[in-house]
Amino acid sequence: MESYRFLFDLAVILLCTKLFGMVTESFHLPQVVGALLAGVILGPACLNLISSTEFLTETAEVGVVVLMFCAGMETDVQELKRSGKSSFVIALLGVLVPLLGGYLVAYAFNRPGIIESDATGSVFLQNLFMGVILTATSVSITVETLKEMGKLKTQSGNAILGAAIIDDILGIIALTIVTSMADASVSLAVVLLKIVGFFIFVAVAGYLFYRFYSRWSTQGEHGLHSHAVVAFVFCLILSYIGEEFFGVADITGAFFAGLIISQTQQTAFLASRFDTLSYLYLSPIFFASIGLKVELPTMTSAIILFSVVLTVVAALTKFAGCGLGAKCCGYVNNHCVRIGIGMISRGEVALIIASKGESLGLLGSDFMGPIVIAVIVTTIITPVLLKVAYQGGTTVPLPEGTGVAQRHEQIHDLRRGIGYDKRIREHHEQVQANRKRR
C-alpha cells in the first residue's frame, strides 16, 4: 500500500497549495506565496507530513519546463524590438547590479566558519550562481498590480514590461553560462562554443518548425487540442536536446521553444491551455517541492543573518540597477522610482533558477531557505511599494493597442476565459474556409 503513497501526497499538496493560495490572494498577494508556505508547513520545516521524493522531484522538473515554456510564449518579439534602447539599458543594469550584489553577499557568507555549504561546485561558481539567482525578475506580480490600479498602459508600465522581457533573456544566458561551467573538465571556450552552437541550432530548428507548423495548421482540419500536443512535443524535444547535447539547461530550451511558438497564430490559445495545465497540477507541485526542501529549524544565526542581508540586497540592487538604467534613458525621477520598484519581485523565476542550481551542485541546501525567504519578501513588498509610488505624480498613457502591455492583457483575458469562445468559433470558421477552397 505504501507504493501508492504518492497519490495521497499529491492530494494533500494540491489541496494545501490551493487553500494557502486563496488566503494570500485575499490579502492581494500572488498565489505563489501561498504555495511556497504550504510546502514549508507540510515539509520538515514544520509538520513533516510530506518529504521530497523522486516522483515529486521529477514532476517538479516538468513543472519548471512548462513554466519557462509559458514565459517564452508570453514574450512578444515584435514589441521587444519596438521597446528599443531604453528597455535594454534598464534590463542590462537590472541584471549586472544584482549579479554583482549577489556574488558579494555569497562571497562574504559562503566560507568555512560562517556557513558550511554542501554544494559540490567550485566556490567561485557557487557565489556567482547566487548572483544569477538575484538577476531574475517575475513581472507577473507587477502586471496584476498595475492592472488593478489602471496604470498598466502607461509609459512606466510599458518600460517595466519591455525591460522584464529582455531581463528574462539576459538571465537565461547568464544561467546557461554558469551552469555549463559547472563541469570542471570543460573549458570556458568550449562552454561559449556550445552556447553559440545551441543558439544556431535553435534558430534553424525554430525556422523549420515555424514553417512546418504554419503549413500544418492551415492544411486539413486539426482540433485545437492537436495544436497543444504538437507545441508541447516541440518544447520537450528542444529542452532535451539543449540539456543532452549542448550542456544548456533544459529550461533554456523550453523558454526558446515558447519564444518560437509566440510567433504563431495560435499563441494566445496555447498559452491559456498550458496555463491551465500548469495551474492545475504542475506549478503547485513545483512550488511546494521548493518549500519541502526548506529546513528552518536548522537555520543558524549566520543563516538568519544571511537571509536578512540577501533579502535587502535583492531588493536594493534591482531597484538601483533598473532605476539607474531608466535615469540614463531620460525618464523623470518618479518614473525611475516606479520602474525600479516594478522590477524588484523575484517570484517563480528565482525559484526555478535556484532549483536548477541545487540539482547541479551549485547551491548548498542551507541556502535554499534564505532564497525562499527573499523571494517571499520581495514578492510581498513589490505591490505594496508600487501602490505608494503611483500615489500622486503624473502618468503618461500610451495610445490604445500599443506597447507590450497590450500583449499581456490578451494573455490574461484568455486565462480568465474572456474571448475563449470567440477563439474556438474563429478556428472552426477558418477550417470551413479551407475546406471550401479545396
Side-chain angles (χ1 to χ4, degrees):
M1 296 296 292
E2 189 66 25
S3 61
Y4 292 96
R5 172 59 189 261
F6 73 93
L7 296 176
F8 175 77
D9 290 346
L10 283 178
V12 173
I13 289 174
L14 293 176
L15 177 62
C16 290
T17 52
K18 181 58 181 176
L19 290 177
F20 278 86
M22 291 170 64
V23 171
T24 54
E25 192 175 32
S26 67
F27 289 96
H28 303 288
L29 297 173
Q31 293 194 36
V32 62
V33 177
L36 286 170
L37 292 176
V40 172
I41 292 173
L42 293 174
C46 293
L47 301 179
N48 200 24
L49 292 177
I50 298 177
S51 58
S52 183
T53 63
E54 183 178 356
F55 169 75
L56 290 178
T57 301
E58 291 178 349
T59 303
E61 186 67 24
V62 178
V64 172
V65 168
V66 172
L67 277 171
M68 294 306 291
F69 183 52
C70 291
M73 281 194 289
E74 290 186 20
T75 302
D76 190 325
V77 176
Q78 299 304 318
E79 295 293 353
L80 183 61
K81 292 177 181 178
R82 284 193 285 268
S83 63
K85 174 186 172 182
S86 59
S87 292
F88 178 79
V89 172
I90 293 170
L92 182 62
L93 290 179
V95 166
L96 293 179
V97 176
L99 179 66
L100 178 61
Y103 172 82
L104 292 177
V105 172
Y107 178 79
F109 285 89
N110 185 23
R111 58 182 63 197
I114 302 180
I115 299 179
E116 299 285 347
S117 175
D118 58 356
T120 57
S122 70
V123 176
F124 170 75
L125 286 180
Q126 292 178 42
N127 297 340
L128 187 61
F129 192 82
M130 187 63 68
V132 173
I133 294 174
L134 295 195
T135 64
T137 292
S138 179
V139 77
S140 58
I141 292 95
T142 300
V143 169
E144 291 298 331
T145 305
L146 293 178
K147 281 173 69 68
E148 179 184 333
M149 296 188 299
K151 305 294 185 181
L152 183 59
K153 294 182 180 180
T154 61
Q155 190 179 49
S156 54
N158 203 59
I160 291 171
L161 290 171
I165 293 171
I166 301 175
D167 186 288
D168 280 343
I169 295 175
L170 294 178
I172 288 292
I173 294 173
L175 172 65
T176 301
I177 293 175
V178 176
T179 54
S180 299
M181 291 171 61
D183 188 348
S185 63
V186 179
S187 67
L188 179 59
V190 173
V191 169
L192 295 176
L193 187 61
K194 280 189 173 183
I195 293 173
V196 172
F198 172 74
F199 283 116
I200 293 175
F201 169 77
V202 166
V204 174
Y207 174 76
L208 294 176
F209 177 81
Y210 177 79
R211 293 294 299 273
F212 156 77
Y213 184 82
S214 298
R215 180 174 298 180
W216 174 79
S217 61
T218 56
Q219 291 180 353
E221 182 175 353
H222 304 290
L224 287 175
H225 293 295
S226 299
H227 290 263
V229 172
V230 171
F232 196 26
V233 168
F234 178 64
C235 165
L236 295 176
I237 290 177
L238 210 60
S239 301
Y240 170 77
I241 292 176
E243 184 82 51
E244 187 72 15
F245 297 103
F246 294 95
V248 173
D250 53 0
I251 58 176
T252 307
F255 179 83
F256 281 101
L259 202 64
I260 293 165
I261 294 293
S262 72
Q263 302 303 297
T264 66
Q265 293 181 345
Q266 302 293 347
T267 309
F269 169 79
L270 291 174
S272 67
R273 296 302 90 193
F274 280 98
D275 234 27
T276 302
L277 171 65
S278 181
Y279 175 82
L280 179 66
Y281 177 60
L282 295 174
S283 290
I285 302 299
F286 169 68
F287 292 124
S289 70
I290 296 294
L292 291 175
K293 296 175 183 177
V294 177
E295 298 183 13
L296 296 179
T298 64
M299 293 179 72
T300 63
S301 57
I303 295 179
I304 294 174
L305 178 61
F306 174 74
S307 302
V308 174
V309 174
L310 182 67
T311 302
V312 172
V313 169
L316 291 182
T317 53
K318 185 64 80 169
F319 172 77
C322 295
L324 179 61
K327 189 65 176 176
C328 293
C329 295
Y331 286 87
V332 296
N333 290 336
N334 63 336
H335 286 181
C336 294
V337 171
R338 294 166 183 170
I339 292 169
I341 291 174
M343 299 287 283
I344 287 177
S345 177
R346 297 312 197 272
E348 70 279 2
V349 182
L351 296 176
I352 290 171
I353 296 175
S355 177
K356 176 58 62 176
E358 187 178 45
S359 65
L360 294 174
L362 293 176
L363 185 68
S365 57
D366 287 339
F367 291 101
M368 186 58 76
I371 290 171
V372 172
I373 292 172
V375 167
I376 292 175
V377 172
T378 56
T379 300
I380 290 174
I381 66 173
T382 298
V384 175
L385 293 177
L386 267 178
K387 290 180 180 178
V388 174
Y390 273 91
Q391 288 178 356
T394 59
T395 56
V396 181
L398 295 173
E400 184 68 26
T402 64
V404 186
Q406 183 71 18
R407 171 73 163 191
H408 280 261
E409 282 209 18
Q410 293 171 356
I411 295 294
H412 284 278
D413 284 345
L414 274 171
R415 284 175 176 169
R416 298 193 301 271
I418 300 173
Y420 176 71
D421 292 336
K422 180 182 178 182
R423 174 69 66 174
I424 296 289
R425 185 170 62 253
E426 288 177 350
H427 173 76
H428 285 295
E429 289 176 355
Q430 182 181 3
V431 170
Q432 292 300 325
N434 291 339
R435 280 180 177 176
K436 290 179 180 179
R437 282 199 297 267
R438 294 198 302 271

